[in-house]
Amino acid sequence: MIAMERLSKAYDGKPVLRDFSLRVEAGEHLCLMGPSGCGKTTLLRLLMGLERPDGGSITGLEGLRMSAVFQEDRLLEHLTAAENIRFVCGSLPEETETLLLRLGLEKESLSRPVREFSGGMKRRAAIARALLAAFDVLFLDEPYKGLDADTKKAVQDAVGEYTRNKTVVLVTHDPAEAEGYRLVEMKPLL
């Protein structure tokens, strides 16, 4: 179980999180929702160790392998989608091409550097990279933005399959994307 106890975080003296507590059970799929600026992405960054809380504690992540899809794709633009996956995974997982095709990338695009991809293609390459990394906990920050309805459904199905029995923390503004997740509503601080 991941336990967040009385977390606080401020930027330039402006608090984003104050005394925030939450528990996430192992294997649970949790969705954080709320208006922009209420601390959802900050909470993910704290959980991933990319930022330190000003107060409070996070326990239960020790020894767990993490993977993430950020709001930005964070791809190496001169590499292909498969090379981006290899860069993170250390080797090329056997199902790389199968997953990229399943996510709607066309076979002929797989030999091109991702700088030639559309925004939606880059997003799917970033999601494939996160899913193929060895992980115990997956963090998803607005992962489906920019995807059309049919593509989004295929990607969500793949995410569901690859995260079975794994802990997932999803941030989204779309209630439909939260289906099947335990919903936690976050509110901005006044």
Side-chain angles (χ1 to χ4, degrees):
M1 171 185 24
I2 302 166
M4 294 154 263
E5 299 291 337
R6 304 196 65 179
L7 288 180
S8 294
K9 182 67 179 174
Y11 297 101
D12 297 323
K14 182 178 183 228
V16 178
L17 294 172
R18 185 183 307 125
D19 291 325
F20 183 86
S21 297
L22 179 66
R23 295 182 185 277
V24 183
E25 297 296 328
E28 181 175 15
H29 288 195
L30 177 84
C31 178
L32 302 171
M33 289 187 72
S36 296
C38 71
K40 301 178 302 292
T41 295
T42 296
L43 183 59
L44 286 189
R45 292 181 59 78
L46 292 169
L47 289 167
M48 288 185 278
L50 299 173
E51 305 226 13
R52 298 185 60 86
D54 298 332
S57 65
I58 299 171
T59 57
L61 287 168
E62 304 81 12
L64 295 182
R65 300 166 300 171
M66 300 178 210
S67 187
V69 175
F70 296 92
Q71 286 185 19
E72 317 81 24
D73 297 318
R74 298 188 180 188
L75 297 168
L76 299 171
E77 294 280 321
H78 64 287
L79 298 179
T80 66
E83 289 167 339
N84 270 277
I85 291 166
R86 183 183 310 118
F87 187 82
V88 168
C89 297
S91 62
L92 205 53
E94 199 172 291
E95 69 269 30
T96 297
E97 183 174 322
T98 303
L99 178 59
L100 290 169
L101 294 173
R102 178 179 176 184
L103 296 181
L105 294 176
E106 296 179 3
K107 191 160 181 75
E108 55 273 4
S109 71
L110 300 184
S111 62
R112 297 188 348 238
V114 296
R115 71 173 163 259
E116 297 178 13
F117 282 15
S118 69
M121 292 169 71
K122 288 179 181 180
R123 180 100 296 222
R124 287 174 277 162
I127 291 169
R129 180 185 58 196
L131 293 177
L132 291 171
F135 68 90
D136 302 303
V137 182
L138 179 63
F139 298 103
L140 301 168
D141 196 355
E142 298 285 350
Y144 309 117
K145 68 177 183 181
L147 301 180
D148 65 71
D150 291 338
T151 302
K152 184 192 290 191
K153 173 73 171 106
V155 173
Q156 287 176 301
D157 289 347
V159 168
E161 182 181 312
Y162 276 79
T163 60
R164 200 167 283 128
N165 301 317
K166 304 219 181 187
T167 305
V168 179
V169 180
L170 167 71
V171 166
T172 183
H173 289 97
D174 185 345
E177 294 174 8
E179 191 173 314
Y181 287 74
R182 177 169 68 103
L183 183 61
V184 172
E185 289 278 349
M186 295 182 68
K187 299 190 181 341
L189 298 178
L190 302 175

